[in-house]
Amino acid sequence: MSKLKKILGITLSILLVFSSIPVFAMAATSYTSDDGYLTYTVSNNKATITDCDTSIGGAYTIPDTLGGYPVTAIGKYAFEDCKTLSNVTIPDSIISIGSYAFEDCSTLSNVTIPDSVTSLGSSAFYNCASLSSITIGNGVTSIGNNAFYSCGVLSIVKIGNNVASIGDYAFYKCVCLGNIIIPDSVISVGEYAFGYCTALTNVTIGTGVTSIGTGAFRNCLNLKSITIPANVTSIVSGSIGFSSGGSTAGFTIYGYDDTAAETYANQHNFIFISLGEYVEPVDPDVDDPTTDDPTTDDPTTDDPAESCSHFCHSESSFVQFFYKIIRFFWKIFGINQYCECGAAHY
């Protein structure tokens, strides 16, 4: 029995040693930027910022290269709690901004996300209490959940024209946001995406939106009306025109007949102002047979000489040679000659 125990013990020890080897082999080496503020890793010849010294303050420009490698990502929690960072410039080399990347940067005032960025992680700017302006570049395809949650003074938001989805709680409790334009590229607006945006008075919903999630505009106390495009097919009850105290008196919905907008308004006894019957726009890239060039499709406009059987149209070289001589004399004597089809012989 003691021999068996020894064998098992040795076997387990060997397994533990070998199982730990990949963990150490996979561990990425961290480096420090020349200015001493940033920590980064390198993978596939690309650098990712993983951490920042929280003593960093004022305006800071993120370098586009570190250690000779292009900086393509700002990792999770990279600038978290950098409370004296007031302004940050993100270079065009950045492709992704990770979750919680700038969480609780309490003095960060304005940010422009360049067009190079395609991924904006969840809670990326969570609780940035001084953030007043954000421009989201045209490369971003989705705004993560809680991305700008509780950015209490955020008043200017510009959403890029390639964003397809706005995540749950993305702009929740942005109480100073008065106006928002959701571009046509957006398909879905998530749960409580603009919930508790109490200063919101004007909302433009793009024509591409098809679904509006639970509570998307709930508790927007100053929002008295909204225009809902015809493509919206799903509006969760209570998402628009409601607050904690119930429905908003006199709330008005502008929309097209027989669409989700009219249905939602009727369900909640809101005022519905019709924009008429929706007419599907014509795709300019699809040929419209009614606008084709009539000379290409109308058989009555074909060249009559092409279908004429008169021998003057013969392809025979002998006939054409003979006819060439005759036409020569007609021309000399001023004789006008026309074929049965109306084509001139010369």
Side-chain angles (χ1 to χ4, degrees), residues 1-14:
M1 184 62 72
S2 59
K3 266 189 175 182
L4 183 59
K5 284 183 178 179
K6 283 183 180 180
I7 293 170
L8 285 172
I10 293 169
T11 304
L12 286 171
S13 298
I14 293 171

Side-chain angles (χ1 to χ4, degrees), residues 192 213-219 235-243 264 268:
Y192 291 92
T214 301
F217 296 95
R218 193 175 181 89
N219 281 302
I235 308 172
V236 178
S237 181
S239 297
I240 304 170
F242 279 83
S243 66
Y264 185 86
H268 300 292

Side-chain angles (χ1 to χ4, degrees), residues 78-199:
F79 289 86
E80 180 196 21
D81 275 331
C82 292
K83 294 188 181 298
T84 56
L85 180 65
S86 60
N87 186 279
V88 66
T89 301
I90 301 172
D92 290 338
S93 61
I94 299 294
I95 296 172
S96 68
I97 298 175
S99 300
Y100 304 95
F102 294 91
E103 180 189 16
D104 285 325
C105 291
S106 54
T107 60
L108 188 62
S109 60
N110 61 79
V111 174
T112 296
I113 298 173
D115 292 345
S116 59
V117 175
T118 59
S119 175
L120 180 59
S122 60
S123 303
F125 294 89
Y126 185 100
N127 198 35
C128 290
S130 299
L131 187 64
S132 61
S133 172
I134 181 73
T135 298
I136 300 170
N138 292 327
V140 175
T141 56
S142 65
I143 300 173
N145 296 341
N146 309 299
F148 300 95
Y149 188 112
S150 196
C151 291
V153 298
L154 185 61
S155 59
I156 299 173
V157 173
K158 296 178 182 177
I159 301 175
N161 57 23
N162 275 315
V163 172
S165 63
I166 299 174
D168 298 344
Y169 295 87
F171 295 93
Y172 187 75
K173 285 190 176 180
C174 292
V175 295
C176 288
L177 185 62
N179 176 69
I180 188 68
I181 297 175
I182 299 173
D184 293 344
S185 59
V186 173
I187 297 171
S188 64
V189 179
E191 295 183 5
Y192 291 92
F194 297 93
Y196 275 96
C197 290
T198 52

Side-chain angles (χ1 to χ4, degrees), residues 227-250:
T227 299
I228 300 176
N231 286 333
V232 174
T233 57
S234 172
I235 308 172
V236 178
S237 181
S239 297
I240 304 170
F242 279 83
S243 66
S244 301
S247 62
T248 303

